[in-house]
């Protein structure tokens, strides 16, 4: 009710995490006009976001690295299996941040709605309580607009071994999606020797 105060809603959208397994049932099995946009992001950035900044301040504990990696790889698997569905669109977070107008126009075309420059005016958005919307970010809550600084933040946050482990386990998908790997030697020996601090997770 609070999120949709208008009575003449024509298009209703929702956003959620960890729900990719519902893509096919919603847009392929039901006889309704559902459309799904799945946002894909560099797994190193996902890990940095989940295990630092405001998320960590709230939870006080980190997600186990393997948990984040498994969920990312599962998410990408659903992307691959849904890619040919006409009501599905996959978009890389990094491409949107670098070219917000271009990608917003592509999204509008996919949703069959008219593009407006207002879509990129972050000052006009409100949250579910009607207050001014603040960034859904672990790091840039005071920033205005679309912040490109989020793209490289993981390089400052993740350790050498964390980056190596993520790349080792996600290499195939990252290569396919065009994510550039850092030159960090990491193999089976490093994997077997890697240990997380149990008291932190």
């Amino acid at each position: 009710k609070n999120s949709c105060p208008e009575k003449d809603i024509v298009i209703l959208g929702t956003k959620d995490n960890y729900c990719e397994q519902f893509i096919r049932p919603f847009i392929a099995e039901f006889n309704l006009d559902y459309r799904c946009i799945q946002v894909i992001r560099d797994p190193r950035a996902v890990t940095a976001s989940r295990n630092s900044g405001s998320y960590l301040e709230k939870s006080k504990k980190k997600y186990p690295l393997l948990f984040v990696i498994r969920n990312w790889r599962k998410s990408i698997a659903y992307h691959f299996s849904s890619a040919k569905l006409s009501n599905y669109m996959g978009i890389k977070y990094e491409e949107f941040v670098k070219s917000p107008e271009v990608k917003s126009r592509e999204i509008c075309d996919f949703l069959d709605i008219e593009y407006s420059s207002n879509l990129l005016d972050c000052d006009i958005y409100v949250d579910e309580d009607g207050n001014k919307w603040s960034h859904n970010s672990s790091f840039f809550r005071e920033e205005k607009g679309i912040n490109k600084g989020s793209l490289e933040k993981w390089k400052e946050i993740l350790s050498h071994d964390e980056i190596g482990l993520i790349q080792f386990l996600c290499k195939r998908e990252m290569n396919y999606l065009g994510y550039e790997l850092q030159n960090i030697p990491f193999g089976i020996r490093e994997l077997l020797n890697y240990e997380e601090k149990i008291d932190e997770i």
Side-chain angles (χ1 to χ4, degrees), residues 65-76:
L65 197 51
L66 194 57
F67 170 83
V68 179
I69 291 171
R70 281 175 169 165
N71 275 283
W72 184 85
R73 292 189 68 199
K74 183 172 72 171
S75 178
I76 300 306

Side-chain angles (χ1 to χ4, degrees), residues 113-127:
I113 60 176
E114 185 177 349
Y115 171 79
S116 168
S117 59
N118 286 339
L119 290 170
L120 300 178
D121 182 1
C122 297
D123 288 334
I124 67 174
Y125 290 106
V126 296
D127 63 18

Side-chain angles (χ1 to χ4, degrees), residues 96 100-109 111-122 124-125 146:
F96 179 85
E101 182 177 341
V102 171
K103 291 302 171 182
S104 292
R105 289 183 180 277
E106 290 178 8
I107 290 170
C108 288
D109 287 343
L111 296 175
D112 197 23
I113 60 176
E114 185 177 349
Y115 171 79
S116 168
S117 59
N118 286 339
L119 290 170
L120 300 178
D121 182 1
C122 297
I124 67 174
Y125 290 106
I146 298 170

Side-chain angles (χ1 to χ4, degrees), residues 75-86:
S75 178
I76 300 306
Y78 282 114
H79 162 65
F80 291 150
S81 67
S82 305
K84 293 183 179 180
L85 296 175
S86 61

